Amino acid sequence: MRGFFVSIEGIEGAGKSTVLKRLADALRQDGYQVVETFEPGDTEAGKRIRQILLDPQLKGLYPLTELFLYFADRAEHVKKVIEPALQSGKVVICDRFMDSTFAYQGFGRGLDLETLYRLNEIATGGLKPDLTVLLDLDVKTGLGRNRNTGKADRFEQESLEFHQRVREGFLELSKDEPSRFVVVDASEPPEKVFKEVYNRLLERING
Ligand SMILES: Nc1ncnc2c1ncn2[C@@H]1O[C@H](COP(=O)(O)OP(=O)(O)O)[C@@H](O)[C@H]1O
Ligand SMILES: [Mg+2]
């Protein structure tokens, strides 16, 4: 039996990591085998790619260079982690996936979306999440939540306008593919956000 692939998307501080952990625990209690993973950086090669991508000292990385590093990370991730887990029937929950590329490099940096779709198709071999949870949150609130967690990475240093475009981008993506996405109000308390996501996910897994 083929597994089920869930991606969790949203701006910095939306609560992706928090919800993912709760979701994985709950699904395990329900008897599912769950793989928790993330992008970028959850493979041997990916760890090294991630260091480049998030290095705050690496100013002015050319957008196309950044883009291909993400796709390199994703190709490795799909082949080595996601596909094998799905083939053995597991639920894979991924903290950020292809929609982050479209939102950050497309809507945020202004790269051509059609090109991103084509390249992404190559990197993933056509694999798409069965369900994408978009945690939607006001940009200031999100960035404020993460403020006390130490040094800002390359993306956290971007302007408010950049993050605003990213948020709007995610919302547009969700409107383009309403059957793949569920959009959840991430300004609610963690327990409420989790329950909403969990219920929507169970509907999909069982449906
Ligand atoms: N629904 C929520 N309401 C308030 N604070 C939250 C909520 N979800 C997460 N947080 C807190 O906000 C911060 C960022 O959450 P995190 O899950 O790391 O976000 P992300 O992974 O999307 O960047 C953490 O300190 C977390 O405890
Ligand atoms: Mg996180």
Side-chain angles (χ1 to χ4, degrees), residues 67 71 74 98-103 105-107 111-128 169-177 180-181:
L67 180 72
F71 285 138
R74 184 160 307 138
M98 62 187 201
D99 299 294
S100 280
T101 306
F102 306 145
Q105 279 68 47
F107 290 89
L111 296 176
D112 176 58
L113 273 174
E114 288 304 322
T115 307
L116 298 187
Y117 294 153
R118 285 211 318 275
L119 293 173
N120 182 68
E121 177 95 9
I122 296 170
T124 61
L127 177 74
K128 274 186 168 193
F170 275 128
L171 287 170
E172 272 199 46
L173 293 165
S174 75
K175 284 174 195 142
D176 286 347
E177 279 183 89
R180 175 163 66 88
F181 276 86

Short mmCIF file of all heavy atoms in Angstrom, two decimals, residues 67 71 74 98-103 105-107 111-128 169-177 180-181:
data_model
loop_
_atom_site.label_atom_id
_atom_site.label_comp_id
_atom_site.label_asym_id
_atom_site.label_seq_id
_atom_site.Cartn_x
_atom_site.Cartn_y
_atom_site.Cartn_z
N LEU A 67 18.06 28.93 -6.28
CA LEU A 67 17.01 28.06 -6.78
C LEU A 67 17.51 26.64 -7.05
O LEU A 67 16.91 25.66 -6.64
CB LEU A 67 16.45 28.66 -8.08
CG LEU A 67 15.33 27.86 -8.72
CD1 LEU A 67 14.07 28.00 -7.89
CD2 LEU A 67 15.09 28.36 -10.14
N PHE A 71 16.53 22.89 -5.54
CA PHE A 71 16.11 21.75 -6.34
C PHE A 71 17.06 20.56 -6.16
O PHE A 71 16.62 19.41 -6.17
CB PHE A 71 16.00 22.14 -7.82
CG PHE A 71 14.76 22.95 -8.12
CD1 PHE A 71 14.82 24.04 -8.97
CD2 PHE A 71 13.53 22.62 -7.55
CE1 PHE A 71 13.68 24.79 -9.26
CE2 PHE A 71 12.39 23.37 -7.82
CZ PHE A 71 12.47 24.46 -8.68
N ARG A 74 16.02 18.99 -3.04
CA ARG A 74 14.73 18.30 -3.18
C ARG A 74 14.87 16.99 -3.94
O ARG A 74 14.24 15.99 -3.59
CB ARG A 74 13.71 19.23 -3.87
CG ARG A 74 12.30 18.61 -3.96
CD ARG A 74 11.24 19.67 -4.18
NE ARG A 74 11.37 20.69 -3.17
CZ ARG A 74 11.26 22.00 -3.40
NH1 ARG A 74 10.96 22.45 -4.60
NH2 ARG A 74 11.41 22.86 -2.43
N MET A 98 7.58 21.89 -2.10
CA MET A 98 7.67 22.66 -3.35
C MET A 98 6.98 24.03 -3.28
O MET A 98 7.42 24.97 -3.93
CB MET A 98 7.10 21.86 -4.51
CG MET A 98 5.63 21.51 -4.36
SD MET A 98 5.16 20.40 -5.70
CE MET A 98 3.39 20.65 -5.70
N ASP A 99 5.91 24.14 -2.50
CA ASP A 99 5.21 25.43 -2.47
C ASP A 99 6.06 26.54 -1.85
O ASP A 99 5.88 27.71 -2.17
CB ASP A 99 3.87 25.29 -1.75
CG ASP A 99 2.99 24.29 -2.47
OD1 ASP A 99 2.58 24.58 -3.61
OD2 ASP A 99 2.75 23.20 -1.93
N SER A 100 7.02 26.15 -0.99
CA SER A 100 7.94 27.17 -0.47
C SER A 100 8.81 27.73 -1.59
O SER A 100 9.12 28.92 -1.60
CB SER A 100 8.81 26.59 0.66
OG SER A 100 8.09 26.57 1.87
N THR A 101 9.21 26.87 -2.53
CA THR A 101 9.98 27.37 -3.67
C THR A 101 9.16 28.36 -4.48
O THR A 101 9.64 29.43 -4.87
CB THR A 101 10.39 26.20 -4.59
OG1 THR A 101 11.08 25.22 -3.82
CG2 THR A 101 11.28 26.68 -5.74
N PHE A 102 7.89 28.00 -4.74
CA PHE A 102 7.05 28.90 -5.54
C PHE A 102 6.81 30.20 -4.79
O PHE A 102 6.84 31.29 -5.37
CB PHE A 102 5.72 28.22 -5.88
CG PHE A 102 5.88 26.87 -6.55
CD1 PHE A 102 4.98 25.84 -6.28
CD2 PHE A 102 6.93 26.64 -7.42
CE1 PHE A 102 5.13 24.59 -6.89
CE2 PHE A 102 7.10 25.40 -8.02
CZ PHE A 102 6.19 24.37 -7.75
N ALA A 103 6.58 30.11 -3.48
CA ALA A 103 6.27 31.31 -2.70
C ALA A 103 7.51 32.20 -2.51
O ALA A 103 7.44 33.41 -2.73
CB ALA A 103 5.69 30.92 -1.34
N GLN A 105 10.89 31.84 -3.96
CA GLN A 105 11.69 32.18 -5.14
C GLN A 105 10.81 32.79 -6.23
O GLN A 105 11.28 33.62 -7.00
CB GLN A 105 12.44 30.95 -5.65
CG GLN A 105 13.72 30.62 -4.89
CD GLN A 105 13.48 30.14 -3.48
OE1 GLN A 105 12.63 29.29 -3.23
NE2 GLN A 105 14.21 30.72 -2.52
N GLY A 106 9.55 32.37 -6.30
CA GLY A 106 8.63 32.93 -7.29
C GLY A 106 8.06 34.26 -6.82
O GLY A 106 8.47 35.32 -7.27
N PHE A 107 7.13 34.20 -5.89
CA PHE A 107 6.46 35.42 -5.44
C PHE A 107 7.42 36.35 -4.69
O PHE A 107 7.35 37.57 -4.81
CB PHE A 107 5.25 35.08 -4.56
CG PHE A 107 4.12 34.47 -5.33
CD1 PHE A 107 4.04 33.09 -5.53
CD2 PHE A 107 3.12 35.28 -5.88
CE1 PHE A 107 2.99 32.52 -6.24
CE2 PHE A 107 2.06 34.71 -6.59
CZ PHE A 107 2.00 33.33 -6.78
N LEU A 111 11.14 35.23 -9.51
CA LEU A 111 11.48 34.32 -10.61
C LEU A 111 10.18 33.83 -11.27
O LEU A 111 9.14 33.74 -10.64
CB LEU A 111 12.27 33.12 -10.09
CG LEU A 111 13.65 33.45 -9.49
CD1 LEU A 111 14.31 32.19 -8.94
CD2 LEU A 111 14.56 34.07 -10.55
N ASP A 112 10.30 33.50 -12.56
CA ASP A 112 9.13 33.12 -13.35
C ASP A 112 8.51 31.80 -12.86
O ASP A 112 9.18 30.76 -12.79
CB ASP A 112 9.57 32.97 -14.82
CG ASP A 112 8.44 32.48 -15.69
OD1 ASP A 112 7.38 33.13 -15.74
OD2 ASP A 112 8.60 31.39 -16.30
N LEU A 113 7.23 31.87 -12.53
CA LEU A 113 6.57 30.71 -11.91
C LEU A 113 6.50 29.50 -12.83
O LEU A 113 6.70 28.37 -12.39
CB LEU A 113 5.15 31.08 -11.47
CG LEU A 113 5.01 31.70 -10.08
CD1 LEU A 113 3.57 32.15 -9.86
CD2 LEU A 113 5.43 30.72 -8.99
N GLU A 114 6.21 29.75 -14.11
CA GLU A 114 6.12 28.62 -15.04
C GLU A 114 7.44 27.85 -15.09
O GLU A 114 7.45 26.62 -15.15
CB GLU A 114 5.74 29.10 -16.44
CG GLU A 114 4.29 29.56 -16.56
CD GLU A 114 3.28 28.49 -16.14
OE1 GLU A 114 3.51 27.30 -16.43
OE2 GLU A 114 2.27 28.84 -15.49
N THR A 115 8.54 28.59 -15.07
CA THR A 115 9.86 27.96 -15.07
C THR A 115 10.05 27.15 -13.78
O THR A 115 10.55 26.02 -13.81
CB THR A 115 10.97 29.04 -15.17
OG1 THR A 115 10.69 29.85 -16.30
CG2 THR A 115 12.34 28.42 -15.31
N LEU A 116 9.62 27.74 -12.68
CA LEU A 116 9.76 27.03 -11.40
C LEU A 116 8.96 25.73 -11.41
O LEU A 116 9.43 24.70 -10.93
CB LEU A 116 9.29 27.91 -10.24
CG LEU A 116 10.05 29.20 -9.99
CD1 LEU A 116 9.56 29.86 -8.71
CD2 LEU A 116 11.55 28.94 -9.90
N TYR A 117 7.75 25.79 -11.96
CA TYR A 117 6.92 24.57 -12.02
C TYR A 117 7.63 23.48 -12.83
O TYR A 117 7.65 22.31 -12.44
CB TYR A 117 5.56 24.85 -12.67
CG TYR A 117 4.66 25.78 -11.89
CD1 TYR A 117 3.70 26.56 -12.54
CD2 TYR A 117 4.74 25.88 -10.50
CE1 TYR A 117 2.86 27.42 -11.84
CE2 TYR A 117 3.90 26.73 -9.79
CZ TYR A 117 2.97 27.51 -10.46
OH TYR A 117 2.14 28.35 -9.77
N ARG A 118 8.20 23.89 -13.98
CA ARG A 118 8.85 22.91 -14.85
C ARG A 118 10.07 22.28 -14.17
O ARG A 118 10.27 21.08 -14.18
CB ARG A 118 9.29 23.55 -16.16
CG ARG A 118 8.15 23.82 -17.12
CD ARG A 118 8.59 23.73 -18.59
NE ARG A 118 9.89 24.36 -18.86
CZ ARG A 118 10.04 25.66 -19.12
NH1 ARG A 118 9.01 26.48 -19.14
NH2 ARG A 118 11.24 26.14 -19.38
N LEU A 119 10.90 23.15 -13.57
CA LEU A 119 12.11 22.63 -12.92
C LEU A 119 11.75 21.77 -11.71
O LEU A 119 12.39 20.75 -11.44
CB LEU A 119 13.02 23.80 -12.50
CG LEU A 119 13.62 24.59 -13.66
CD1 LEU A 119 14.36 25.82 -13.14
CD2 LEU A 119 14.56 23.70 -14.48
N ASN A 120 10.71 22.19 -11.00
CA ASN A 120 10.29 21.41 -9.83
C ASN A 120 9.83 20.01 -10.23
O ASN A 120 10.12 19.03 -9.56
CB ASN A 120 9.17 22.13 -9.08
CG ASN A 120 8.74 21.37 -7.85
OD1 ASN A 120 9.50 21.26 -6.89
ND2 ASN A 120 7.55 20.80 -7.88
N GLU A 121 9.11 19.97 -11.35
CA GLU A 121 8.64 18.68 -11.88
C GLU A 121 9.82 17.74 -12.13
O GLU A 121 9.75 16.54 -11.83
CB GLU A 121 7.88 18.98 -13.19
CG GLU A 121 7.37 17.77 -13.92
CD GLU A 121 5.91 17.45 -13.58
OE1 GLU A 121 5.27 18.28 -12.90
OE2 GLU A 121 5.45 16.37 -13.98
N ILE A 122 10.89 18.30 -12.64
CA ILE A 122 12.09 17.49 -12.89
C ILE A 122 12.72 17.05 -11.57
O ILE A 122 13.07 15.88 -11.37
CB ILE A 122 13.12 18.29 -13.74
CG1 ILE A 122 12.53 18.57 -15.12
CG2 ILE A 122 14.43 17.52 -13.85
CD1 ILE A 122 13.33 19.56 -15.95
N ALA A 123 12.83 17.98 -10.62
CA ALA A 123 13.48 17.66 -9.34
C ALA A 123 12.71 16.59 -8.56
O ALA A 123 13.30 15.75 -7.89
CB ALA A 123 13.63 18.92 -8.50
N THR A 124 11.38 16.64 -8.64
CA THR A 124 10.56 15.72 -7.83
C THR A 124 10.17 14.47 -8.60
O THR A 124 9.58 13.55 -8.01
CB THR A 124 9.24 16.39 -7.42
OG1 THR A 124 8.52 16.74 -8.61
CG2 THR A 124 9.47 17.63 -6.57
N GLY A 125 10.45 14.43 -9.89
CA GLY A 125 9.96 13.32 -10.71
C GLY A 125 8.44 13.30 -10.77
O GLY A 125 7.83 12.26 -10.99
N GLY A 126 7.83 14.46 -10.51
CA GLY A 126 6.37 14.56 -10.61
C GLY A 126 5.65 14.28 -9.29
O GLY A 126 4.42 14.37 -9.23
N LEU A 127 6.39 13.96 -8.24
CA LEU A 127 5.75 13.71 -6.94
C LEU A 127 5.17 15.00 -6.36
O LEU A 127 5.83 16.04 -6.33
CB LEU A 127 6.77 13.14 -5.94
CG LEU A 127 6.21 12.90 -4.54
CD1 LEU A 127 5.30 11.69 -4.50
CD2 LEU A 127 7.34 12.74 -3.53
N LYS A 128 3.92 14.91 -5.91
CA LYS A 128 3.27 16.04 -5.26
C LYS A 128 2.71 15.58 -3.93
O LYS A 128 2.33 14.41 -3.79
CB LYS A 128 2.08 16.51 -6.09
CG LYS A 128 2.39 17.50 -7.17
CD LYS A 128 1.06 17.96 -7.77
CE LYS A 128 1.26 19.16 -8.67
NZ LYS A 128 -0.03 19.79 -8.98
N GLY A 169 1.66 34.91 -1.81
CA GLY A 169 1.97 33.86 -2.78
C GLY A 169 1.41 32.51 -2.34
O GLY A 169 0.78 31.81 -3.13
N PHE A 170 1.65 32.17 -1.10
CA PHE A 170 1.11 30.91 -0.57
C PHE A 170 -0.42 30.88 -0.74
O PHE A 170 -0.99 29.86 -1.13
CB PHE A 170 1.44 30.76 0.92
CG PHE A 170 2.80 30.17 1.22
CD1 PHE A 170 3.68 30.81 2.09
CD2 PHE A 170 3.19 28.95 0.67
CE1 PHE A 170 4.91 30.26 2.41
CE2 PHE A 170 4.43 28.38 0.98
CZ PHE A 170 5.29 29.05 1.85
N LEU A 171 -1.07 32.00 -0.43
CA LEU A 171 -2.54 32.03 -0.53
C LEU A 171 -2.99 31.85 -1.98
O LEU A 171 -3.96 31.15 -2.25
CB LEU A 171 -3.08 33.33 0.06
CG LEU A 171 -3.01 33.41 1.60
CD1 LEU A 171 -3.33 34.82 2.10
CD2 LEU A 171 -3.97 32.39 2.23
N GLU A 172 -2.25 32.47 -2.91
CA GLU A 172 -2.61 32.30 -4.33
C GLU A 172 -2.44 30.85 -4.76
O GLU A 172 -3.27 30.29 -5.48
CB GLU A 172 -1.73 33.19 -5.22
CG GLU A 172 -2.33 34.56 -5.41
CD GLU A 172 -1.75 35.28 -6.62
OE1 GLU A 172 -1.63 34.65 -7.71
OE2 GLU A 172 -1.40 36.46 -6.46
N LEU A 173 -1.33 30.25 -4.33
CA LEU A 173 -1.10 28.84 -4.67
C LEU A 173 -2.24 27.97 -4.17
O LEU A 173 -2.69 27.05 -4.85
CB LEU A 173 0.23 28.37 -4.07
CG LEU A 173 1.50 29.01 -4.65
CD1 LEU A 173 2.70 28.74 -3.74
CD2 LEU A 173 1.77 28.49 -6.06
N SER A 174 -2.71 28.27 -2.96
CA SER A 174 -3.79 27.47 -2.38
C SER A 174 -5.08 27.64 -3.18
O SER A 174 -5.88 26.70 -3.29
CB SER A 174 -4.01 27.84 -0.91
OG SER A 174 -4.68 29.07 -0.79
N LYS A 175 -5.27 28.81 -3.76
CA LYS A 175 -6.47 29.02 -4.58
C LYS A 175 -6.38 28.32 -5.92
O LYS A 175 -7.39 27.90 -6.48
CB LYS A 175 -6.71 30.52 -4.79
CG LYS A 175 -7.28 31.18 -3.54
CD LYS A 175 -7.38 32.69 -3.67
CE LYS A 175 -7.60 33.30 -2.29
NZ LYS A 175 -6.87 34.56 -2.12
N ASP A 176 -5.14 28.18 -6.43
CA ASP A 176 -4.96 27.47 -7.70
C ASP A 176 -5.23 25.98 -7.57
O ASP A 176 -5.57 25.32 -8.54
CB ASP A 176 -3.52 27.65 -8.21
CG ASP A 176 -3.28 29.05 -8.74
OD1 ASP A 176 -4.28 29.78 -8.95
OD2 ASP A 176 -2.11 29.42 -8.95
N GLU A 177 -4.97 25.44 -6.39
CA GLU A 177 -5.15 23.98 -6.20
C GLU A 177 -5.92 23.70 -4.91
O GLU A 177 -5.38 23.12 -3.97
CB GLU A 177 -3.78 23.30 -6.10
CG GLU A 177 -3.12 23.03 -7.43
CD GLU A 177 -1.81 22.28 -7.23
OE1 GLU A 177 -1.84 21.04 -7.22
OE2 GLU A 177 -0.77 22.93 -7.08
N ARG A 180 -5.84 20.20 -3.22
CA ARG A 180 -4.62 19.74 -2.53
C ARG A 180 -4.42 20.46 -1.20
O ARG A 180 -3.87 19.90 -0.25
CB ARG A 180 -3.39 19.94 -3.43
CG ARG A 180 -2.06 19.59 -2.74
CD ARG A 180 -0.92 19.40 -3.71
NE ARG A 180 -0.53 20.60 -4.44
CZ ARG A 180 0.37 21.48 -4.00
NH1 ARG A 180 0.94 21.32 -2.83
NH2 ARG A 180 0.68 22.54 -4.73
N PHE A 181 -4.85 21.72 -1.12
CA PHE A 181 -4.55 22.54 0.05
C PHE A 181 -5.65 22.52 1.10
O PHE A 181 -6.84 22.48 0.76
CB PHE A 181 -4.39 24.00 -0.38
CG PHE A 181 -3.03 24.37 -0.88
CD1 PHE A 181 -2.69 24.17 -2.21
CD2 PHE A 181 -2.08 24.93 -0.03
CE1 PHE A 181 -1.42 24.52 -2.69
CE2 PHE A 181 -0.83 25.29 -0.49
CZ PHE A 181 -0.50 25.09 -1.83
#
